[in-house]
């Protein structure tokens, strides 16, 4: 009887912490609440993992995401299920959440270290990382489509300036297969995120006590906005699925996770997901059920689209912790190499499929997969790595503005049609 009384107060205390965070933000004063030793130990270990240069769990998620996209688009396992499962959509979701988490973590570390965020340096590094590989693929795609007499200059311009998300969302259904680099729709979504989010984060950090509450409100507002457009105004599903204004919440969930983990108090609450390793099976199981179970109506589609990022965020946190602690598969050479090649694999796999189709090669999916691997490897060693070395050796200009209030870096980024993509983005 005494044991039950001693254990009962723990749940209300956690609830009180959550209420304080919502009302006053992450920096609100609070009465000291004794945390369990196991949570404190997990918190310390998680903090150490997040401060390491290479996080094997994130590499594993990146490798998983691009693998799901390739399996889906090459239709390598369709015969097993009898129908096509939306594995590529899940890969998209993982990439979006991962990108929001990585970029926000990087920006928060810089802000904690220097008290500011250099927008100029951020956009410069993103440009070195993104542009060379993307525009090399764009040129090769243009050449192949010209040889096949399938080149449409209007859609090529749309992809060149990273507006394929709206190009795909607004295009008629019969135009979908003929969009130039249609795969770049997700890169276009992330371009807008990379362009806008650092500026917005700087603004929000000036009001840090309400940061978490504002982030949660933004995500909930996105859900309402999407539901109204889809259920009331009957916007097409391809628009709901593809465009930045409809998918921003997925990236914001990753941003919110980074903010929660960066703060000492909220990170302790997140550690509850890491107390038992068996809990790590629940997010993949929930994602698998969402793929397998039939969705009855439009509302069900919207619910899955909204709830999946939260499940992916939980899986991401568990992969970060357990990937460094006990999941040795996350640090294998195959996983690391797949993660390194993920951006090029994603970009080149539609082009590889088109080439294989033009050459009338048998076993289209498997042949395209092999050609994709060869093209991605060549791109990584001949294009990506040289430009990343150039990026790392080139120091930012001494006069680069560092103030969060300056608009100059944003104007430069817009003028350059900048798109900044952290890792391979799917679909």
């Amino acid at each position: 009887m005494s044991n039950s009384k001693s254990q009962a107060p723990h749940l209300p205390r956690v609830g009180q912490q959550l209420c304080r965070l919502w009302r006053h933000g992450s920096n609100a004063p609070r009465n000291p609440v004794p945390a369990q030793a196991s949570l404190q130990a997990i918190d310390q270990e998680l903090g150490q993992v997040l401060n390491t240069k290479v996080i094997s769990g994130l590499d594993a998620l990146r490798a998983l995401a691009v693998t799901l996209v390739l399996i889906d688009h090459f239709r390598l396992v369709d015969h097993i299920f009898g129908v096509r499962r939306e594995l590529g959509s899940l890969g998209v979701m993982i990439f979006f959440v991962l990108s929001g988490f990585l970029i926000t973590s990087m920006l928060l570390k810089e802000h904690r270290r220097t008290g500011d965020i250099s927008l100029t340096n951020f956009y410069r590094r993103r440009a070195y990382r993104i542009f060379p590989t993307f525009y090399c693929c764009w040129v090769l795609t243009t050449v192949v489509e010209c040889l096949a007499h399938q080149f449409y200059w209007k859609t090529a311009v749309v992809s060149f300036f990273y507006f394929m998300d709206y190009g795909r969302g607004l295009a008629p259904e019969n135009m979908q297969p003929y969009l130039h680099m249609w795969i770049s729709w997700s890169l276009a979504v992330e371009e807008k995120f990379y362009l806008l989010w650092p500026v917005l984060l700087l603004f929000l950090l000036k009001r840090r006590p309400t940061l978490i509450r504002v982030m949660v409100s933004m995500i909930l507002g996105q859900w309402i906005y999407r539901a109204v457009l889809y259920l009331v105004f009957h916007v097409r599903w391809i628009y709901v699925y593809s465009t930045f204004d409809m998918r921003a919440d997925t990236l914001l969930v990753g941003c919110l996770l980074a903010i929660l983990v960066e703060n000492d108090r909220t990170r302790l609450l997140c550690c509850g997901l890491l107390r038992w390793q068996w809990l790590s099976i629940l997010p993949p199981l929930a994602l698998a059920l969402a793929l397998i179970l039939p969705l009855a109506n439009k509302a069900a589609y919207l619910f899955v689209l909204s709830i999946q990022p939260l499940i992916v965020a939980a899986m991401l946190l568990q992969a970060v912790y357990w990937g460094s602690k006990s999941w040795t598969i996350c640090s294998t050479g195959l996983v690391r190499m797949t993660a390194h090649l993920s951006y090029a694999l994603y970009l080149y796999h539609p082009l590889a499929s088109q080439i294989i189709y033009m050459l009338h090669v048998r076993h289209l999916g498997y042949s395209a997969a092999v050609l994709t691997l060869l093209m991605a490897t060549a791109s990584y060693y001949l294009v990506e790595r040289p430009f990343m070395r150039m990026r790392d050796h080139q120091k930012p200009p001494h006069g680069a503005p560092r103030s969060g209030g300056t608009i100059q870096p944003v104007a430069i980024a817009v003028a350059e049609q900048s798109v900044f993509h952290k890792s391979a983005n799917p679909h």
Side-chain angles (χ1 to χ4, degrees):
M1 192 72 171
S2 59
N3 289 339
S4 62
K5 289 182 179 180
S6 62
Q7 294 175 0
H10 289 301
L11 183 58
R13 286 173 180 171
V14 173
Q16 291 170 8
Q17 286 182 332
L18 291 173
C19 291
R20 289 192 189 98
L21 288 172
W22 174 254
R23 292 175 183 172
H24 305 293
S26 57
N27 287 345
R30 63 189 182 102
N31 297 325
V33 178
Q36 296 187 21
S38 58
L39 286 181
Q40 290 179 336
I42 293 171
D43 176 52
Q44 184 178 4
E45 291 173 345
L46 180 61
Q48 293 173 352
V49 172
L50 292 171
N51 286 323
T52 58
K53 186 176 181 180
V54 177
I55 302 177
S56 58
L58 297 184
D59 279 347
L61 278 184
R62 188 180 292 114
L64 172 64
V66 75
T67 301
L68 291 174
V69 172
L70 296 181
I71 290 175
D72 184 15
H73 289 179
F74 291 148
R75 304 193 177 187
L76 299 181
V77 294
D78 283 12
H79 62 281
I80 296 177
F81 297 102
V83 294
R84 187 178 182 184
R85 298 298 177 186
E86 295 297 327
L87 297 177
S89 300
L90 180 56
V92 173
M93 195 74 68
I94 294 173
F95 271 121
F96 281 171
V97 176
L98 184 60
S99 293
F101 177 81
L102 287 171
I103 291 301
T104 306
S105 298
M106 180 183 68
L107 294 174
L108 289 175
K109 286 180 181 179
E110 180 183 356
H111 190 271
R112 185 170 64 248
R113 186 178 66 252
T114 66
D116 203 352
I117 296 173
S118 173
L119 299 179
T120 302
N121 190 46
F122 173 81
Y123 293 135
R124 180 187 65 85
R125 291 182 65 83
R126 291 301 92 209
Y128 270 107
R129 176 67 179 90
I130 304 309
F131 285 158
T133 304
F134 179 85
Y135 286 113
C136 182
C137 183
W138 188 93
V139 170
L140 291 176
T141 301
T142 300
V143 171
V144 170
E145 290 188 352
C146 287
L147 293 175
H149 305 288
Q150 295 177 350
F151 179 71
Y152 298 89
W153 69 268
K154 290 183 180 180
T155 58
V157 170
V158 170
S159 64
F160 185 89
F161 290 111
Y162 287 88
F163 284 105
M164 187 51 71
D165 56 335
Y166 289 100
R168 188 175 182 224
L170 298 174
E173 292 295 338
N174 60 359
M175 274 293 293
Q176 294 295 330
Y178 304 105
L179 296 176
H180 185 283
M181 284 189 70
W182 61 271
I183 200 74
S184 65
W185 74 266
S186 62
L187 305 182
V189 170
E190 291 213 2
E191 175 243 348
K192 297 169 183 64
F193 164 73
Y194 288 130
L195 189 63
L196 299 175
W197 175 242
V199 182
L200 179 59
L201 181 61
L202 271 172
F203 175 78
L204 294 176
L205 286 173
K206 295 177 180 178
R207 296 157 177 79
R208 196 179 183 93
T210 61
L211 178 58
I212 295 176
R213 183 174 62 183
V214 171
M215 290 294 299
V216 173
S217 299
M218 290 170 60
I219 293 170
L220 292 176
Q222 177 75 35
W223 291 357
I224 296 171
Y225 168 74
R226 184 168 54 219
V228 169
L229 287 187
Y230 187 52
L231 299 178
V232 178
F233 293 98
H234 306 292
V235 172
R236 290 191 309 156
W237 178 254
I238 189 65
Y239 184 91
V240 174
Y241 181 82
S242 302
T243 57
F244 172 73
D245 63 302
M246 292 290 186
R247 302 302 299 270
D249 64 300
T250 311
L251 292 151
L252 289 175
V253 167
C255 299
L256 177 60
L257 177 62
I259 293 169
L260 292 174
V261 168
E262 186 265 349
N263 184 273
D264 292 336
R265 296 187 180 99
T266 52
R267 186 170 64 241
L268 192 62
L269 295 176
C270 294
C271 290
L273 290 171
L274 308 174
R275 295 193 62 180
W276 299 282
Q277 191 170 0
W278 65 266
L279 288 175
S280 59
I281 195 62
L282 298 181
L285 181 61
L287 294 173
L289 289 175
L291 290 176
I292 296 172
L293 296 178
L295 301 178
N297 49 47
K298 290 183 176 181
Y301 278 99
L302 279 184
F303 176 78
V304 170
L305 191 66
S306 300
I307 207 71
Q308 271 186 332
L310 302 179
I311 301 173
V312 171
M315 185 171 68
L316 188 157
L317 184 64
Q318 292 167 335
V320 166
Y321 181 74
W322 293 111
S324 299
K325 190 174 178 64
S326 60
W327 294 351
T328 56
I329 190 175
C330 295
S331 57
T332 59
L334 178 61
V335 170
R336 288 199 305 269
M337 181 53 65
T338 304
H340 291 160
L341 295 178
S342 58
Y343 182 37
L345 286 170
Y346 172 72
L347 273 177
Y348 278 96
H349 80 271
L351 178 59
S353 298
Q354 189 172 5
I355 293 174
I356 293 296
Y357 180 79
M358 288 171 54
L359 297 177
H360 304 289
V361 178
R362 296 183 61 186
H363 307 295
L364 177 62
Y366 296 101
S367 302
V370 173
L371 181 58
T372 298
L373 179 60
L374 295 176
M375 296 175 74
T377 303
S379 174
Y380 178 72
Y381 285 103
L382 299 178
V383 180
E384 284 187 60
R385 289 188 63 177
F387 275 94
M388 284 191 288
R389 283 196 296 265
M390 190 185 308
R391 174 199 67 182
D392 295 336
H393 291 158
Q394 180 184 352
K395 295 182 179 179
H398 293 291
R402 296 188 58 81
S403 171
T406 180
I407 197 171
Q408 183 180 357
V410 180
I412 293 173
V414 172
E416 294 175 346
Q417 301 296 335
S418 57
V419 174
F420 308 108
H421 175 71
K422 175 70 178 178
S423 58
N425 270 339
H427 244 343

